[in-house]
Amino acid sequence: MSAPLILLDIAGAVATVTLNRPDKLNAFNEAMHGELACALDRIEDDGAVRAVLLTGAGRGFCAGQDLGDRVMGEGQEPIDLGETLERFYNPLIRRIRRLERPVVCAVNGVAAGAGANLALACDIVLAGRSAAFIQAFCRIGLVPDSGGTWFPPRLVGRARATGLAMLGEPLPAERAEAWGLIWRCVDDAQLIEEARALARHLATQPTRGLGLIKRALNASPGNDLDVQLDLERDLQREAGRTEDYREGARAFLEKRRPAFKGR
Ligand code: LHQ
């Protein structure tokens, strides 16, 4: 039997998903997409999971699409790459953004093409100092996908996003942090432990509230202030009805640590 292309480990309230095709820097083929979709199904169905950690096996995080799977031979009809996005990448990015649980990404090495944008779709991105982000698409005549023209301009501004997209140069993790593309760059040796600690911490926090924060931030780029204020009102109404809000406010008044249940 061949090795699984995705490893899923659920320990307590944290689900760790590891891309596991290290000999190809965890580049995606169809089987790997299928396994990742199954892992996300399990996470979505498991109410006890309150945080997700995504990382890669080996020396890379993810080199994007396996190009060996998507190249046309001489004289053949072009492969419909739009269909590949429609079937695999767009649903994946949408699922991560809609998952109402925090997703931490530990970028353990190079993140290229759709692999870079998969990382940027996550909520809190940590990267090892030796990691780099590459919008590699322009090097092969393609357009950044999987959110590659949506996340970077919003995170680092149009000038830098254009440079990344048109030059395809590696952006080292330290500069990615300095530019605001990611949350933090940490020493390689500390990366996985720091990411785990962060995921474990988030898993003890008010899960419903964090999910609503994610919903508000997702909606923000498309809304003007008036619409966003209305949305905040509606989400606050919902957050205010959770057990965790009651616990958080009581614990504050009683000067003790809150014990959130994620409800
Ligand atoms: C790979 C790949 C790879 C196959 C490394 N494929 N084997 C969506 C929808 C539809 C179609 C098109 O695309 C998309 C989205 C995309 O993601 S397009 C962008 C695809 N990705 C790239 O263009 C990146 C290609 N990879 C690279 O430029 C380099 O490998 C990077 C800069 C990521 C790492 O360089 P190195 O550290 O020097 O490693 P390497 O190049 O030696 O790679 C190690 C192995 O992994 C090697 O295999 P081998 O059998 O020779 O040891 C590579 O061929 C393989 N590999 N990326 N995308």
Side-chain angles (χ1 to χ4, degrees), residues 6-156:
I6 296 293
L7 307 175
L8 173 63
D9 171 62
I10 299 181
V14 176
T16 301
V17 178
T18 306
L19 310 176
N20 190 38
R21 241 188 128 211
D23 54 323
K24 297 289 172 199
L25 301 180
N26 303 316
F28 273 99
N29 57 20
E30 291 196 11
M32 191 165 142
H33 273 293
E35 289 185 33
L36 182 51
C38 289
L40 290 172
D41 288 342
R42 280 194 52 196
I43 289 168
E44 281 171 357
D45 291 347
D46 187 341
V49 170
R50 291 170 61 188
V52 178
L53 171 58
L54 174 66
T55 192
R59 73 176 176 92
F61 171 68
C62 176
Q65 169 65 37
D66 185 323
L67 293 172
D69 256 21
R70 284 291 178 280
V71 75
M72 61 203 158
E74 204 57 51
Q76 285 177 340
E77 280 291 301
I79 297 167
D80 182 350
L81 300 186
E83 206 237 356
T84 307
L85 294 177
E86 191 66 26
R87 273 180 67 201
F88 298 112
Y89 290 91
N90 290 356
L92 169 62
I93 300 299
R94 288 190 176 111
R95 280 184 93 172
I96 289 175
R97 296 298 280 192
R98 286 181 187 156
L99 187 68
E100 292 212 342
R101 282 167 256 179
V103 182
V104 175
C105 187
V107 181
N108 52 298
V110 69
N117 298 324
L118 171 62
L120 299 182
C122 297
D123 298 309
I124 299 201
V125 186
L126 297 182
R129 213 165 291 283
S130 69
F133 296 81
I134 314 178
Q135 296 291 339
F137 307 87
C138 61
R139 298 185 188 179
I140 53 171
L142 294 183
V143 177
D145 60 30
S146 308
T149 60
W150 199 90
F151 300 120
R154 284 169 173 78
L155 293 166
V156 302

